[in-house]
Amino acid sequence: MIDPGAYRATIGLEIHVALNTRSKMFCGCSTDFGAPPNTNVCPVCLGLPGSLPVTNSGAVNLGIIAARALGSQVRTRSHFERKNYHYPDLPKGYQISQYSAPLAVGGELVLDDVEGEGGRIGIIRVHLEEDAGKSTHSADKGSTLLDFNRCGVPLAEIVTEPHIQSPGQARRFLEELRALLRVVGVSEVRMEEGELRCDVNFNLVRCDEGEGPVRTEISEVKNLNSFRSVQRASEYELKRHVEAVSRGDVLEHETRHWDEERGVTYSARSKEMAHDYRYFPDPDLPPLVIDPGYADHLAGGMPEPPRAKRIRFADEFGLSRYDAAVLVADPPLADFFEETVSHGASARAAARWITGEVAAHLNASGAAISDVPASPAHLAELLELLEAEQISEKVAKRVWRDVFESGTMPRVIVERECLAKIDDPEELRDIVSAVIAENPDAAAEYSSGKDRAIGYLVGKVMEDTRGRADPRLVNDILRDMLRSGS
Ligand SMILES: [Zn+2]
């Protein structure tokens, strides 16, 4: 019997990300998703004879930014090659890619240590290539429809070292990568539009490496298009490899597919694996010559990466790791937070409100923060009123609802609706004594020793004052009056 805990995964990922350009990699066709089939095509992306590709400099710039964001070294000279294979969705009969001289090499992505899934994941290379078309097989498998709109859409392929040690860490890596690429503007990474697709290279090692390698070979699971399926496919492979080792089986190096519905990977037909792509430099395209100063210039304009921002939010503003992570995961909210603080609000209060009330209102309305009339100045003023104890927390929430919809300044709402906190003990004593008179049963219960009754009475006072009373003060006055029997 073999202990599954004696083994762990080693996972490497190959990630294809659609670059955020308006036109394709080597022609002027639109990259719009969802256009009617075969409308965004031209002789170049259809590979018609006599057509010549021209490299999209915008796509190269985004590739350079992606590489620099990952700490990769952008090579001064790289070139495009033809990857030859025959498949119906590839009208040229080859895909333009980079193989022997990729755009960039090296680099890493650091994952924070959350639930033991932190680590430094090395990057082997970042290269540019074009996407293939899309095949749709009819339900009866009698025919296949081809849409070439996606042919030639620019992609960056990012290949990691096999440093990932668990299915959960693979998912964490992809989440962090997605956040990074979005922030630096390389890609929108819309998963539902297939803008990130991933191959998983899975292998098994003994935790105690002194005992020698485990006899399993890499299995490649191809073309996964959600973080969840990457994690599930890796979990499945981990189990499959451990079971094979415990039986004494030797697994072969193979390509596998993921069946989302059944939750299993299955072997691809063997001929699919026997690729010889016959790479050779594309004679129609000049090499990419990138001056290091130019790459520095592009990298210099890059926004702050998510991890650096999380660290800064924790250090500079004293936020918890959790609050920093929630804010940074949503860049417009993170900007809203920083602006609120720059208007003089306390950072912790601003973080608490933005991750709480502000986010809740946005979720409920489905609006983006940039589309609502509430601004950081509004929130800062509201927090100032709260801080100065001029309004209660309950009233503040009510005021925010109004601010969120109308864009009226909080102070104006508070004055207009007489919402200022009642903290005058005399005024409160009058209200409390009226509440006691109206609720003799609860008052009697408290007097007979049932402490819980006080909560009911405080609630009544808060109700009568529309949340304006100071609950601590009400509590004190109530106890005082009930005890003295007045
Ligand atoms: Zn085209």
mmCIF file of all heavy atoms in Angstrom, residues 260-291:
data_model
loop_
_atom_site.group_PDB
_atom_site.id
_atom_site.type_symbol
_atom_site.label_atom_id
_atom_site.label_comp_id
_atom_site.label_asym_id
_atom_site.label_seq_id
_atom_site.Cartn_x
_atom_site.Cartn_y
_atom_site.Cartn_z
ATOM 1 N N GLU A 260 -15.298 17.990 -18.909
ATOM 2 C CA GLU A 260 -15.824 18.814 -17.807
ATOM 3 C C GLU A 260 -17.014 18.122 -17.125
ATOM 4 O O GLU A 260 -17.128 18.107 -15.910
ATOM 5 C CB GLU A 260 -16.240 20.176 -18.382
ATOM 6 C CG GLU A 260 -16.789 21.164 -17.379
ATOM 7 C CD GLU A 260 -15.706 21.774 -16.495
ATOM 8 O OE1 GLU A 260 -14.632 22.107 -17.029
ATOM 9 O OE2 GLU A 260 -15.943 21.898 -15.280
ATOM 10 N N GLU A 261 -17.903 17.535 -17.936
ATOM 11 C CA GLU A 261 -19.111 16.952 -17.370
ATOM 12 C C GLU A 261 -18.821 15.730 -16.509
ATOM 13 O O GLU A 261 -19.319 15.598 -15.403
ATOM 14 C CB GLU A 261 -20.080 16.561 -18.482
ATOM 15 C CG GLU A 261 -21.324 17.412 -18.470
ATOM 16 C CD GLU A 261 -22.069 17.301 -19.775
ATOM 17 O OE1 GLU A 261 -22.477 16.177 -20.110
ATOM 18 O OE2 GLU A 261 -22.212 18.340 -20.463
ATOM 19 N N ARG A 262 -17.968 14.857 -17.028
ATOM 20 C CA ARG A 262 -17.676 13.629 -16.283
ATOM 21 C C ARG A 262 -16.590 13.845 -15.247
ATOM 22 O O ARG A 262 -16.378 13.013 -14.357
ATOM 23 C CB ARG A 262 -17.278 12.502 -17.249
ATOM 24 C CG ARG A 262 -18.495 11.956 -18.017
ATOM 25 C CD ARG A 262 -18.110 11.143 -19.248
ATOM 26 N NE ARG A 262 -17.097 10.121 -18.962
ATOM 27 C CZ ARG A 262 -16.067 9.849 -19.748
ATOM 28 N NH1 ARG A 262 -15.889 10.522 -20.872
ATOM 29 N NH2 ARG A 262 -15.201 8.926 -19.428
ATOM 30 N N GLY A 263 -15.874 14.950 -15.359
ATOM 31 C CA GLY A 263 -14.821 15.239 -14.378
ATOM 32 C C GLY A 263 -13.636 14.296 -14.506
ATOM 33 O O GLY A 263 -13.027 13.911 -13.515
ATOM 34 N N VAL A 264 -13.301 13.900 -15.738
ATOM 35 C CA VAL A 264 -12.163 12.984 -15.943
ATOM 36 C C VAL A 264 -11.303 13.497 -17.100
ATOM 37 O O VAL A 264 -11.765 14.238 -17.968
ATOM 38 C CB VAL A 264 -12.623 11.548 -16.299
ATOM 39 C CG1 VAL A 264 -13.453 10.965 -15.168
ATOM 40 C CG2 VAL A 264 -13.423 11.528 -17.603
ATOM 41 N N THR A 265 -10.031 13.075 -17.096
ATOM 42 C CA THR A 265 -9.206 13.310 -18.283
ATOM 43 C C THR A 265 -9.178 11.999 -19.063
ATOM 44 O O THR A 265 -9.358 10.927 -18.493
ATOM 45 C CB THR A 265 -7.755 13.697 -17.922
ATOM 46 O OG1 THR A 265 -7.117 12.581 -17.315
ATOM 47 C CG2 THR A 265 -7.710 14.884 -16.968
ATOM 48 N N TYR A 266 -9.014 12.109 -20.377
ATOM 49 C CA TYR A 266 -8.935 10.886 -21.187
ATOM 50 C C TYR A 266 -7.860 11.078 -22.242
ATOM 51 O O TYR A 266 -7.564 12.207 -22.659
ATOM 52 C CB TYR A 266 -10.294 10.549 -21.813
ATOM 53 C CG TYR A 266 -10.842 11.638 -22.700
ATOM 54 C CD1 TYR A 266 -10.622 11.614 -24.070
ATOM 55 C CD2 TYR A 266 -11.573 12.710 -22.163
ATOM 56 C CE1 TYR A 266 -11.106 12.632 -24.889
ATOM 57 C CE2 TYR A 266 -12.058 13.721 -22.974
ATOM 58 C CZ TYR A 266 -11.823 13.677 -24.331
ATOM 59 O OH TYR A 266 -12.289 14.676 -25.131
ATOM 60 N N SER A 267 -7.291 9.966 -22.658
ATOM 61 C CA SER A 267 -6.166 10.003 -23.577
ATOM 62 C C SER A 267 -6.598 10.492 -24.957
ATOM 63 O O SER A 267 -7.642 10.097 -25.471
ATOM 64 C CB SER A 267 -5.571 8.596 -23.686
ATOM 65 O OG SER A 267 -4.402 8.658 -24.460
ATOM 66 N N ALA A 268 -5.775 11.369 -25.536
ATOM 67 C CA ALA A 268 -6.036 11.802 -26.903
ATOM 68 C C ALA A 268 -5.602 10.670 -27.832
ATOM 69 O O ALA A 268 -4.769 9.844 -27.465
ATOM 70 C CB ALA A 268 -5.251 13.062 -27.210
ATOM 71 N N ARG A 269 -6.155 10.630 -29.028
ATOM 72 C CA ARG A 269 -5.727 9.590 -29.962
ATOM 73 C C ARG A 269 -4.232 9.737 -30.211
ATOM 74 O O ARG A 269 -3.713 10.842 -30.292
ATOM 75 C CB ARG A 269 -6.508 9.727 -31.279
ATOM 76 C CG ARG A 269 -7.920 9.173 -31.174
ATOM 77 C CD ARG A 269 -8.780 9.718 -32.294
ATOM 78 N NE ARG A 269 -8.962 11.152 -32.150
ATOM 79 C CZ ARG A 269 -9.068 11.990 -33.161
ATOM 80 N NH1 ARG A 269 -8.972 11.550 -34.395
ATOM 81 N NH2 ARG A 269 -9.251 13.283 -32.979
ATOM 82 N N SER A 270 -3.575 8.628 -30.356
ATOM 83 C CA SER A 270 -2.110 8.669 -30.378
ATOM 84 C C SER A 270 -1.563 9.502 -31.534
ATOM 85 O O SER A 270 -0.538 10.149 -31.414
ATOM 86 C CB SER A 270 -1.550 7.252 -30.439
ATOM 87 O OG SER A 270 -2.086 6.610 -31.572
ATOM 88 N N LYS A 271 -2.294 9.525 -32.651
ATOM 89 C CA LYS A 271 -1.734 10.276 -33.779
ATOM 90 C C LYS A 271 -1.737 11.780 -33.508
ATOM 91 O O LYS A 271 -0.959 12.533 -34.069
ATOM 92 C CB LYS A 271 -2.453 9.949 -35.094
ATOM 93 C CG LYS A 271 -3.890 10.393 -35.166
ATOM 94 C CD LYS A 271 -4.456 10.078 -36.546
ATOM 95 C CE LYS A 271 -5.931 10.457 -36.584
ATOM 96 N NZ LYS A 271 -6.632 10.017 -37.740
ATOM 97 N N GLU A 272 -2.636 12.225 -32.584
ATOM 98 C CA GLU A 272 -2.639 13.639 -32.229
ATOM 99 C C GLU A 272 -1.345 14.021 -31.516
ATOM 100 O O GLU A 272 -0.979 15.178 -31.456
ATOM 101 C CB GLU A 272 -3.807 13.948 -31.285
ATOM 102 C CG GLU A 272 -5.115 14.172 -31.992
ATOM 103 C CD GLU A 272 -6.201 14.595 -31.028
ATOM 104 O OE1 GLU A 272 -5.986 15.572 -30.282
ATOM 105 O OE2 GLU A 272 -7.247 13.936 -31.001
ATOM 106 N N MET A 273 -0.704 13.022 -30.929
ATOM 107 C CA MET A 273 0.503 13.314 -30.168
ATOM 108 C C MET A 273 1.744 13.319 -31.044
ATOM 109 O O MET A 273 2.759 13.890 -30.692
ATOM 110 C CB MET A 273 0.715 12.251 -29.083
ATOM 111 C CG MET A 273 -0.350 12.244 -28.007
ATOM 112 S SD MET A 273 -0.386 10.627 -27.225
ATOM 113 C CE MET A 273 1.346 10.427 -26.869
ATOM 114 N N ALA A 274 1.612 12.657 -32.161
ATOM 115 C CA ALA A 274 2.827 12.448 -32.952
ATOM 116 C C ALA A 274 3.104 13.634 -33.859
ATOM 117 O O ALA A 274 3.267 13.501 -35.060
ATOM 118 C CB ALA A 274 2.672 11.170 -33.781
ATOM 119 N N HIS A 275 3.122 14.836 -33.276
ATOM 120 C CA HIS A 275 3.340 16.033 -34.076
ATOM 121 C C HIS A 275 4.803 16.241 -34.398
ATOM 122 O O HIS A 275 5.661 16.146 -33.551
ATOM 123 C CB HIS A 275 2.827 17.266 -33.330
ATOM 124 C CG HIS A 275 1.361 17.445 -33.446
ATOM 125 N ND1 HIS A 275 0.692 17.307 -34.625
ATOM 126 C CD2 HIS A 275 0.432 17.768 -32.510
ATOM 127 C CE1 HIS A 275 -0.601 17.529 -34.416
ATOM 128 N NE2 HIS A 275 -0.775 17.793 -33.148
ATOM 129 N N ASP A 276 5.033 16.544 -35.642
ATOM 130 C CA ASP A 276 6.324 17.114 -35.998
ATOM 131 C C ASP A 276 5.976 18.413 -36.696
ATOM 132 O O ASP A 276 5.516 18.413 -37.831
ATOM 133 C CB ASP A 276 7.093 16.172 -36.935
ATOM 134 C CG ASP A 276 8.352 16.856 -37.454
ATOM 135 O OD1 ASP A 276 8.680 17.957 -36.963
ATOM 136 O OD2 ASP A 276 8.990 16.285 -38.354
ATOM 137 N N TYR A 277 6.152 19.491 -35.989
ATOM 138 C CA TYR A 277 5.654 20.766 -36.499
ATOM 139 C C TYR A 277 6.551 21.395 -37.572
ATOM 140 O O TYR A 277 6.205 22.378 -38.163
ATOM 141 C CB TYR A 277 5.474 21.757 -35.348
ATOM 142 C CG TYR A 277 4.366 21.377 -34.399
ATOM 143 C CD1 TYR A 277 4.622 21.177 -33.040
ATOM 144 C CD2 TYR A 277 3.063 21.234 -34.851
ATOM 145 C CE1 TYR A 277 3.608 20.854 -32.163
ATOM 146 C CE2 TYR A 277 2.034 20.912 -33.972
ATOM 147 C CZ TYR A 277 2.313 20.721 -32.634
ATOM 148 O OH TYR A 277 1.301 20.406 -31.764
ATOM 149 N N ARG A 278 7.717 20.830 -37.780
ATOM 150 C CA ARG A 278 8.650 21.359 -38.787
ATOM 151 C C ARG A 278 8.737 22.884 -38.724
ATOM 152 O O ARG A 278 8.474 23.591 -39.682
ATOM 153 C CB ARG A 278 8.232 20.906 -40.201
ATOM 154 C CG ARG A 278 8.329 19.401 -40.392
ATOM 155 C CD ARG A 278 7.845 18.989 -41.763
ATOM 156 N NE ARG A 278 6.429 19.255 -41.951
ATOM 157 C CZ ARG A 278 5.923 20.089 -42.844
ATOM 158 N NH1 ARG A 278 6.710 20.743 -43.670
ATOM 159 N NH2 ARG A 278 4.616 20.282 -42.936
ATOM 160 N N TYR A 279 9.084 23.392 -37.551
ATOM 161 C CA TYR A 279 9.238 24.844 -37.396
ATOM 162 C C TYR A 279 10.303 25.374 -38.351
ATOM 163 O O TYR A 279 11.368 24.766 -38.500
ATOM 164 C CB TYR A 279 9.724 25.161 -35.986
ATOM 165 C CG TYR A 279 8.668 25.107 -34.917
ATOM 166 C CD1 TYR A 279 8.537 23.978 -34.092
ATOM 167 C CD2 TYR A 279 7.825 26.196 -34.680
ATOM 168 C CE1 TYR A 279 7.589 23.946 -33.076
ATOM 169 C CE2 TYR A 279 6.884 26.162 -33.668
ATOM 170 C CZ TYR A 279 6.765 25.044 -32.871
ATOM 171 O OH TYR A 279 5.837 25.017 -31.866
ATOM 172 N N PHE A 280 10.047 26.483 -38.986
ATOM 173 C CA PHE A 280 11.114 27.207 -39.674
ATOM 174 C C PHE A 280 10.770 28.699 -39.696
ATOM 175 O O PHE A 280 9.588 29.052 -39.628
ATOM 176 C CB PHE A 280 11.349 26.660 -41.092
ATOM 177 C CG PHE A 280 10.188 26.825 -42.026
ATOM 178 C CD1 PHE A 280 10.056 27.986 -42.797
ATOM 179 C CD2 PHE A 280 9.240 25.806 -42.158
ATOM 180 C CE1 PHE A 280 8.982 28.128 -43.663
ATOM 181 C CE2 PHE A 280 8.166 25.962 -43.025
ATOM 182 C CZ PHE A 280 8.034 27.124 -43.779
ATOM 183 N N PRO A 281 11.768 29.576 -39.766
ATOM 184 C CA PRO A 281 11.502 31.013 -39.705
ATOM 185 C C PRO A 281 10.555 31.438 -40.820
ATOM 186 O O PRO A 281 10.681 30.959 -41.953
ATOM 187 C CB PRO A 281 12.884 31.647 -39.903
ATOM 188 C CG PRO A 281 13.847 30.595 -39.480
ATOM 189 C CD PRO A 281 13.208 29.275 -39.849
ATOM 190 N N ASP A 282 9.581 32.293 -40.472
ATOM 191 C CA ASP A 282 8.644 32.752 -41.496
ATOM 192 C C ASP A 282 9.368 33.702 -42.443
ATOM 193 O O ASP A 282 9.821 34.771 -42.018
ATOM 194 C CB ASP A 282 7.451 33.461 -40.833
ATOM 195 C CG ASP A 282 6.329 33.669 -41.832
ATOM 196 O OD1 ASP A 282 6.604 34.242 -42.911
ATOM 197 O OD2 ASP A 282 5.190 33.244 -41.547
ATOM 198 N N PRO A 283 9.475 33.337 -43.733
ATOM 199 C CA PRO A 283 10.248 34.174 -44.663
ATOM 200 C C PRO A 283 9.568 35.502 -44.978
ATOM 201 O O PRO A 283 10.211 36.404 -45.523
ATOM 202 C CB PRO A 283 10.341 33.293 -45.921
ATOM 203 C CG PRO A 283 9.186 32.358 -45.831
ATOM 204 C CD PRO A 283 8.914 32.135 -44.376
ATOM 205 N N ASP A 284 8.260 35.607 -44.633
ATOM 206 C CA ASP A 284 7.537 36.838 -44.953
ATOM 207 C C ASP A 284 7.645 37.899 -43.861
ATOM 208 O O ASP A 284 7.158 39.016 -44.031
ATOM 209 C CB ASP A 284 6.045 36.536 -45.179
ATOM 210 C CG ASP A 284 5.821 35.691 -46.421
ATOM 211 O OD1 ASP A 284 6.709 35.701 -47.305
ATOM 212 O OD2 ASP A 284 4.778 35.021 -46.498
ATOM 213 N N LEU A 285 8.223 37.525 -42.727
ATOM 214 C CA LEU A 285 8.234 38.467 -41.599
ATOM 215 C C LEU A 285 9.670 38.785 -41.165
ATOM 216 O O LEU A 285 10.474 37.869 -40.961
ATOM 217 C CB LEU A 285 7.474 37.871 -40.407
ATOM 218 C CG LEU A 285 5.959 37.818 -40.574
ATOM 219 C CD1 LEU A 285 5.340 36.851 -39.562
ATOM 220 C CD2 LEU A 285 5.336 39.206 -40.412
ATOM 221 N N PRO A 286 9.990 40.064 -40.983
ATOM 222 C CA PRO A 286 11.330 40.415 -40.521
ATOM 223 C C PRO A 286 11.487 40.042 -39.050
ATOM 224 O O PRO A 286 10.488 39.899 -38.340
ATOM 225 C CB PRO A 286 11.368 41.944 -40.694
ATOM 226 C CG PRO A 286 9.942 42.372 -40.607
ATOM 227 C CD PRO A 286 9.119 41.234 -41.149
ATOM 228 N N PRO A 287 12.700 39.875 -38.575
ATOM 229 C CA PRO A 287 12.884 39.598 -37.144
ATOM 230 C C PRO A 287 12.413 40.788 -36.304
ATOM 231 O O PRO A 287 12.353 41.910 -36.806
ATOM 232 C CB PRO A 287 14.392 39.394 -37.001
ATOM 233 C CG PRO A 287 15.001 39.980 -38.219
ATOM 234 C CD PRO A 287 13.964 39.963 -39.295
ATOM 235 N N LEU A 288 12.065 40.509 -35.047
ATOM 236 C CA LEU A 288 11.712 41.591 -34.124
ATOM 237 C C LEU A 288 12.995 42.067 -33.470
ATOM 238 O O LEU A 288 13.670 41.284 -32.796
ATOM 239 C CB LEU A 288 10.780 41.065 -33.029
ATOM 240 C CG LEU A 288 9.321 40.798 -33.366
ATOM 241 C CD1 LEU A 288 8.619 40.238 -32.128
ATOM 242 C CD2 LEU A 288 8.638 42.084 -33.823
ATOM 243 N N VAL A 289 13.336 43.320 -33.662
ATOM 244 C CA VAL A 289 14.532 43.875 -33.016
ATOM 245 C C VAL A 289 14.054 44.907 -32.007
ATOM 246 O O VAL A 289 13.426 45.898 -32.378
ATOM 247 C CB VAL A 289 15.475 44.508 -34.061
ATOM 248 C CG1 VAL A 289 16.707 45.088 -33.379
ATOM 249 C CG2 VAL A 289 15.883 43.459 -35.094
ATOM 250 N N ILE A 290 14.289 44.607 -30.740
ATOM 251 C CA ILE A 290 13.745 45.466 -29.679
ATOM 252 C C ILE A 290 14.883 46.063 -28.862
ATOM 253 O O ILE A 290 15.630 45.346 -28.189
ATOM 254 C CB ILE A 290 12.782 44.663 -28.779
ATOM 255 C CG1 ILE A 290 11.565 44.242 -29.625
ATOM 256 C CG2 ILE A 290 12.315 45.508 -27.600
ATOM 257 C CD1 ILE A 290 10.828 43.063 -29.079
ATOM 258 N N ASP A 291 14.972 47.366 -28.938
ATOM 259 C CA ASP A 291 15.989 48.091 -28.190
ATOM 260 C C ASP A 291 15.653 48.014 -26.689
ATOM 261 O O ASP A 291 14.496 48.228 -26.312
ATOM 262 C CB ASP A 291 15.963 49.552 -28.663
ATOM 263 C CG ASP A 291 17.043 50.365 -27.986
ATOM 264 O OD1 ASP A 291 18.195 50.254 -28.420
ATOM 265 O OD2 ASP A 291 16.718 51.072 -27.000
#
